[in-house]
């Protein structure tokens, strides 16, 4: 499984663009973060990506999980975020955003 590796120096706007592009292309989005700063940038990127995607009929959410990884021979704990795609219904109440139809929630990949 491929991961977008996020660091504390990652640009949330750039990562958001990558997330949105992958979602639109139907590519699974999984991110790997080591450290609080990296998790912070990843969460900001997801929030920004939602803003890009909602007008196109998609919404996203994420699920975190801990993972032990090796970096330069050292064991580290990473947080991996799996992004879930939700297709939005275009029939909503006027003045409100489209609603998520629970039957349309899917995990890409």
């Amino acid at each position: 499984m491929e991961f977008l590796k996020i660091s504390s120096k990652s640009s949330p706007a750039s990562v958001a663009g990558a997330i949105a592009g992958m979602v639109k292309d139907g590519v699974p989005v999984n991110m790997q973060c080591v450290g609080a700063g990296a998790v912070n940038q990843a969460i900001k990127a997801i929030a920004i990506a939602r803003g890009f995607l909602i007008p196109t009929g998609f919404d996203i959410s994420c699920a975190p999980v801990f993972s032990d990884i090796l970096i330069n021979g050292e064991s580290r704990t990473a947080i991996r975020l799996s992004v879930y795609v939700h297709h939005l219904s275009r029939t909503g109440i006027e003045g409100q955003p489209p609603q998520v139809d629970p039957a349309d929630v899917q995990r890409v990949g």
Side-chain angles (χ1 to χ4, degrees):
M1 183 182 313
E2 294 287 318
F3 291 94
L4 292 175
K5 293 180 181 174
I6 311 300
S7 80
S8 61
K9 296 184 181 358
S10 295
S11 162
S14 296
V15 174
I19 292 168
M22 292 170 74
V23 167
K24 288 177 184 177
D25 291 343
V27 176
V29 181
N30 296 289
M31 303 187 317
Q32 180 173 285
C33 313
V34 177
V39 173
N40 181 57
Q41 298 303 82
I43 295 299
K44 286 194 279 188
I46 290 170
I48 294 167
R50 285 189 76 217
F52 294 159
L53 290 166
I54 287 174
T56 69
F58 295 101
D59 195 1
I60 56 173
S61 61
C62 69
V65 64
F66 288 109
S67 180
D68 292 323
I69 62 171
L70 284 177
I71 299 178
N72 297 329
E74 284 187 44
S75 180
R76 303 287 302 267
T77 300
I79 290 184
R80 291 182 171 172
L81 300 168
S82 295
V83 174
Y84 292 85
V85 177
H86 315 280
H87 297 276
L88 298 175
S89 166
R90 289 291 177 192
T91 59
I93 300 169
E94 188 173 327
Q96 293 185 358
Q99 302 297 308
V100 174
D101 181 349
D104 288 338
V105 176
Q106 68 179 6
R107 170 78 171 100
V108 175

